[in-house]
Amino acid sequence: MDADFLKNLLIPARTKIVMLVLDGLGGLPPLPGGKTELETAQTPNLDALAQRSALGLTIPVAPGITPGSGPGHLALFGFDPLRYEIGRGAMEALGVDFELGPDDLAARGNFCTIDPGGLIVDRRAGRLCTSASQELINRLSLIKLPEADIFICPVKEHRFAFILRASGLHDALSETDPQVTGVPPLPLLALDPTAEKSARLVNQFLLQARDLLADCSPANMILLRGFARLPLLPTFQERYGLNAAAIAINGMYRGVARLVGMQVLNPAGTTLEDEFNLLHQYWDEFDFFYLHVKKTDTCGESGDFNGKVKAIEEVDAQISALLALQPDVIIVCGDHSSPAVLKSHSWHPVPLLLYSPYVRSDGNAEFGEHACSHGSLGTIPAIQVMPLALANALRIAKYGA
Amino acid sequence: MDADFLKNLLIPARTKIVMLVLDGLGGLPPLPGGKTELETAQTPNLDALAQRSALGLTIPVAPGITPGSGPGHLALFGFDPLRYEIGRGAMEALGVDFELGPDDLAARGNFCTIDPGGLIVDRRAGRLCTSASQELINRLSLIKLPEADIFICPVKEHRFAFILRASGLHDALSETDPQVTGVPPLPLLALDPTAEKSARLVNQFLLQARDLLADCSPANMILLRGFARLPLLPTFQERYGLNAAAIAINGMYRGVARLVGMQVLNPAGTTLEDEFNLLHQYWDEFDFFYLHVKKTDTCGESGDFNGKVKAIEEVDAQISALLALQPDVIIVCGDHSSPAVLKSHSWHPVPLLLYSPYVRSDGNAEFGEHACSHGSLGTIPAIQVMPLALANALRIAKYGA
């Protein structure tokens, strides 16, 4: 089903949809035959909602493929993650909440140490602390190019996001990080004639950076990799007729939401309560709310099974307040699985709950991987979630006579 | 998901995958409402493994389509059987363990009887016995062509495999078997200009064959059909980074495995024990093992329900020895269904068991069609099996940031 097909069937409605994304929601039991994080968690409110909902599992990208957060979210938002790719540099810039625009070319940068002969001796400059990194970034910020604006944002320790803003930039560029020590940084090359301007500008910047950092220690040079521009995506308004808001703490998720045209709201603090408060505060102003929960993934990736269980229980505690708003459609889902036992993202299908007054409810008062694997929605590509949400919101007209 | 996408995500690992293919595994109950062959079989070891595994059903080609062994296997190996076709002549040559190469053009041949006027009176020459056929093949082997090598391999009774080896051969050729008697063999024609050399060479051979067989009885002529070259497939090494071995008794399966770049091992005998012994013997040398069990299909095709049950039980008896090798991933599957009640291959989805330490096990200690139809893997295209196996073997990196 292509996007235009759906677009032509859209009908206006006053219904509201909430998509609650628990990052890395899917899990595995700590021992074979046991319960996953979600199954272990005490979730009376989600379980009660599950009883009135249809359950299923989502495949974010393709069977067996472990998605990053970018592809995982694009799929939930209804965009084929194999067609729309958000490169690593762009993700890095989004991750520090940089408002990446269509004229921007972003890269992952890091400070490194080179010897007097120009050979790299430490690719991470001893993982210098973030404040030391900030001082060096202040120095690099003095660099001016006649044809472009430059933005450098600290990430963590030796890492930063590098953004070049000018017209006509392209991301078909090689990387300067050779991935090994004992050799000089690689020359930056245009991999396609369209990227020649970009290569010239970045190389001008690199030359000046080298001079400016020459007397610093241990960080006396920089490496750039993962050059990327943002893909151009239709907005939620254009594609779904939805006036959409995003509630997320972390920059990367705020950035992906901005990319699909959501208005990104600013929580007062960094807690789950702060996020749900924002939902209440802006309830009357939007048709669609994306609310992102990060902690489930953070715990999964660090192998903290119990922490992930607790993070899920914290979400459960917010469900009553969510229901009090009487959303027409509620989706509880994840952008990918992050089982604590794997300490990483994984390929496993992700639990999905779809509530509306019009679902055929499974009548199963349990929200967990096994219940979802027997759910009536089946195991479906994640890009099918948005059409199902719109249908349940009575926002799609009949096709054909 | 195209092949290059997966290829670009491969990461090296030391994990080992075993794919146990029970040919024609899927079945039907002898009477409606009864148990299938697999459900009837006493399989304590497979059932115990099922409890720790994820179950599902595979669709080899497409819903409602009954696959031959070629397409059934290609799908399990991850190759779209609608894109890669192994023609009948090539299958015949592979079936007699002929090492068909990229310069080879193969056909199904058979001896026939023609009358003095050249009209076919018996398309099978009275189904002459295999030894008589061999004598005639020896005679035909005297034929030499200046531009090509000729190989003729007995199959059974009146049937043989015919292989022409030369550069620039193509398989767009008509057939000489008119499928009826009372008419002469059809002239062999090139159906495309690229096949003109092939037509000329085969016609030279046919003329000489007619002369050499003129005084024989009842087999005094040959018919050729199903001309085919091998499709060019990427190897398991190229596509999956897997050093793969095949353990199979019958030529056709050995040939299909060779086609995808597996090293074909030679069992000491023709029993299941011989095949599993080979698995143990070569365990340290390969990443991936394909082990083929023929008897399940032979019994299914001959309508021998109890024989198929017994064949499955014989496989079950080998499972402990398989588990002792501690494979990281085990797949138990079939290339298609062969229900004894149909005495043929069928379109029914095929039971699938996927074991690894990282599957979400269904916890159902039963390996059978019904258990599989409720399995968490769902009913999936067979070409998804390899990506799932690679994911469970931790051989696929994350996609996107």
Side-chain angles (χ1 to χ4, degrees):
Chain A
M1 184 170 72
D2 75 7
D4 280 342
F5 175 77
L6 190 64
K7 195 170 154 179
N8 290 331
L9 293 176
L10 293 177
I11 45 177
R14 293 179 163 274
T15 48
K16 287 180 190 288
I17 302 170
V18 175
M19 177 182 273
L20 181 55
V21 178
L22 280 71
D23 206 298
L25 174 60
L28 282 173
L31 291 171
K35 289 182 173 183
T36 67
E37 297 90 328
L38 179 58
E39 289 166 348
T40 303
Q42 299 291 319
T43 53
N45 298 298
L46 283 168
D47 292 345
L49 182 60
Q51 186 157 33
R52 297 192 286 146
S53 300
L55 302 182
L57 291 168
T58 55
I59 296 178
V61 177
I65 300 303
T66 296
S69 291
H73 271 82
L74 285 184
L76 286 175
F77 295 160
F79 297 89
D80 180 354
L82 294 176
R83 175 171 170 199
Y84 298 103
E85 207 174 333
I86 311 178
R88 291 177 187 273
M91 287 298 274
E92 194 84 335
L94 297 178
V96 291
D97 229 349
F98 184 85
E99 292 207 19
L100 208 60
D103 281 343
D104 293 348
L105 172 69
R108 287 185 168 180
N110 59 272
F111 292 102
C112 67
T113 312
I114 55 174
D115 67 15
L119 306 185
I120 299 170
V121 290
D122 184 343
R123 287 176 53 240
R124 299 182 183 85
R127 290 190 184 276
L128 75 167
C129 70
T130 309
S131 62
S133 201
Q134 179 67 61
E135 277 180 42
L136 297 174
I137 286 170
N138 294 343
R139 191 183 285 217
L140 291 179
S141 297
L142 300 172
I143 299 174
K144 302 288 174 218
L145 295 180
E147 297 175 73
D149 293 325
I150 298 162
F151 305 88
I152 308 168
C153 311
V155 174
K156 194 183 171 188
E157 298 173 345
H158 56 292
R159 287 166 49 202
F160 57 85
F162 169 83
I163 300 104
L164 203 62
R165 179 172 293 168
S167 63
L169 298 183
H170 287 275
D171 55 14
L173 295 167
S174 67
E175 314 198 326
T176 76
D177 186 345
Q179 303 283 343
V180 290
T181 55
V183 298
L186 297 172
L188 184 85
L189 305 170
L191 303 175
D192 186 282
T194 58
E196 274 166 16
K197 176 179 179 181
S198 307
R200 181 168 47 80
L201 292 173
V202 176
N203 277 321
Q204 285 172 7
F205 171 82
L206 285 169
L207 269 178
Q208 295 191 47
R210 186 170 187 143
D211 289 346
L212 273 173
L213 298 176
D215 61 343
C216 300
S217 176
N220 58 356
M221 187 50 190
I222 61 169
L223 299 172
L224 298 175
R225 64 201 162 95
F227 283 91
R229 294 177 64 215
L230 277 185
L232 197 63
L233 274 79
T235 67
F236 258 49
Q237 186 69 58
E238 291 161 354
R239 190 161 189 167
Y240 304 130
L242 290 172
N243 181 21
I247 302 174
I249 308 290
N250 301 70
M252 197 201 299
Y253 311 97
R254 296 165 62 84
V256 175
R258 199 179 288 117
L259 185 62
V260 296
M262 294 189 196
Q263 183 167 330
V264 179
L265 307 179
N266 294 309
T270 61
T271 69
L272 207 54
E273 285 74 17
D274 293 322
E275 293 190 80
F276 277 89
N277 285 344
L278 218 50
L279 184 68
H280 283 74
Q281 191 181 332
Y282 285 91
W283 185 247
D284 292 335
E285 298 181 32
F286 296 93
D287 306 315
F288 180 96
F289 291 88
Y290 151 59
L291 194 152
H292 179 256
V293 178
K294 178 63 183 167
K295 201 170 171 187
T296 33
D297 181 57
T298 314
C299 293
E301 291 207 59
S302 63
D304 181 1
F305 188 96
N306 293 331
K308 188 170 168 190
V309 169
K310 194 159 165 290
I312 294 167
E313 291 175 346
E314 285 167 12
V315 174
D316 190 72
Q318 301 291 334
I319 297 297
S320 305
L322 169 62
L323 294 177
L325 291 169
Q326 299 188 290
D328 299 279
V329 178
I330 301 172
I331 303 145
V332 185
C333 58
D335 54 342
H336 54 76
S337 290
S338 282
V341 295
L342 284 172
K343 293 187 183 180
S344 67
H345 293 199
S346 81
W347 63 91
H348 299 87
V350 192
L352 170 67
L353 176 156
L354 174 67
Y355 164 79
S356 91
Y358 310 114
V359 291
R360 289 193 191 127
S361 64
D362 293 342
N364 190 358
E366 191 194 340
F367 185 47
E369 283 80 353
H370 281 83
C372 287
S373 80
H374 294 105
S376 61
L377 294 177
T379 298
I380 59 174
I383 56 167
Q384 294 183 0
V385 171
M386 279 304 301
L388 289 173
L390 290 164
N392 276 279
L394 306 181
R395 285 173 172 269
I396 309 183
K398 183 168 68 176
Y399 168 64
Chain B
M1 184 172 70
D2 73 7
D4 279 343
F5 175 77
L6 189 65
K7 195 170 151 179
N8 290 332
L9 292 176
L10 293 178
I11 44 176
R14 294 178 162 274
T15 48
K16 287 179 189 287
I17 302 169
V18 174
M19 177 182 273
L20 181 56
V21 178
L22 280 71
D23 206 299
L25 174 61
L28 282 172
L31 290 171
K35 288 183 173 182
T36 67
E37 297 90 327
L38 179 58
E39 289 167 347
T40 303
Q42 298 292 318
T43 53
N45 298 299
L46 283 168
D47 291 346
L49 183 60
Q51 186 159 33
R52 296 191 288 146
S53 302
L55 303 181
L57 291 167
T58 55
I59 297 178
V61 177
I65 302 302
T66 295
S69 291
H73 272 81
L74 284 185
L76 286 176
F77 295 159
F79 297 88
D80 180 353
L82 295 175
R83 174 170 173 200
Y84 298 102
E85 208 176 332
I86 310 178
R88 291 179 184 275
M91 285 299 273
E92 194 84 338
L94 297 179
V96 291
D97 229 349
F98 183 84
E99 290 208 18
L100 208 59
D103 281 343
D104 294 347
L105 173 68
R108 287 186 170 179
N110 59 272
F111 292 103
C112 67
T113 312
I114 54 175
D115 68 15
L119 306 185
I120 299 170
V121 291
D122 184 344
R123 287 176 52 243
R124 298 183 185 86
R127 289 191 185 275
L128 77 166
C129 70
T130 309
S131 62
S133 200
Q134 178 66 62
E135 277 181 42
L136 297 174
I137 287 169
N138 294 344
R139 191 183 284 218
L140 292 178
S141 297
L142 300 173
I143 300 173
K144 301 287 174 218
L145 295 180
E147 295 175 74
D149 292 324
I150 299 162
F151 305 89
I152 307 169
C153 311
V155 175
K156 195 183 171 188
E157 299 172 346
H158 57 291
R159 288 166 49 202
F160 58 84
F162 169 82
I163 299 104
L164 203 62
R165 180 172 292 168
S167 64
L169 297 182
H170 287 276
D171 55 15
L173 296 167
S174 67
E175 311 197 327
T176 76
D177 186 345
Q179 302 284 342
V180 290
T181 54
V183 298
L186 296 171
L188 184 85
L189 304 171
L191 302 176
D192 186 282
T194 59
E196 274 166 15
K197 176 179 178 180
S198 307
R200 180 167 49 78
L201 292 173
V202 176
N203 278 320
Q204 286 172 8
F205 172 81
L206 285 170
L207 269 176
Q208 295 192 47
R210 185 170 187 145
D211 289 347
L212 272 173
L213 298 176
D215 61 344
C216 300
S217 174
N220 59 357
M221 189 47 191
I222 61 169
L223 298 172
L224 296 176
R225 64 202 162 92
F227 283 92
R229 294 177 65 215
L230 277 184
L232 196 64
L233 274 80
T235 66
F236 258 49
Q237 186 69 57
E238 291 162 354
R239 190 161 188 167
Y240 304 130
L242 290 172
N243 182 21
I247 301 174
I249 308 289
N250 302 70
M252 197 200 300
Y253 312 97
R254 296 166 62 86
V256 175
R258 198 179 288 117
L259 185 61
V260 296
M262 293 189 198
Q263 184 168 329
V264 180
L265 307 179
N266 296 309
T270 61
T271 69
L272 206 54
E273 285 74 15
D274 293 322
E275 293 191 81
F276 277 88
N277 284 345
L278 217 50
L279 184 67
H280 281 73
Q281 191 182 332
Y282 284 91
W283 185 247
D284 291 336
E285 296 182 32
F286 295 92
D287 306 315
F288 180 96
F289 291 88
Y290 151 58
L291 194 152
H292 178 258
V293 178
K294 178 63 184 167
K295 203 169 170 186
T296 33
D297 181 57
T298 316
C299 294
E301 291 208 59
S302 62
D304 182 1
F305 188 95
N306 292 332
K308 188 171 169 191
V309 169
K310 194 158 165 290
I312 294 166
E313 291 174 346
E314 285 168 10
V315 174
D316 189 74
Q318 302 290 335
I319 297 296
S320 306
L322 169 61
L323 294 178
L325 291 168
Q326 299 188 289
D328 299 280
V329 179
I330 300 172
I331 303 145
V332 184
C333 60
D335 54 343
H336 54 76
S337 292
S338 282
V341 294
L342 285 172
K343 295 187 182 180
S344 68
H345 292 201
S346 80
W347 63 91
H348 300 86
V350 192
L352 169 67
L353 176 157
L354 173 67
Y355 165 79
S356 92
Y358 308 115
V359 291
R360 286 190 191 133
S361 64
D362 293 340
N364 191 357
E366 191 195 339
F367 185 47
E369 282 80 352
H370 281 83
C372 287
S373 78
H374 294 105
S376 60
L377 294 176
T379 298
I380 59 173
I383 56 167
Q384 293 183 0
V385 171
M386 279 303 301
L388 288 174
L390 290 164
N392 276 279
L394 305 181
R395 285 173 172 270
I396 310 182
K398 185 168 72 173
Y399 168 63

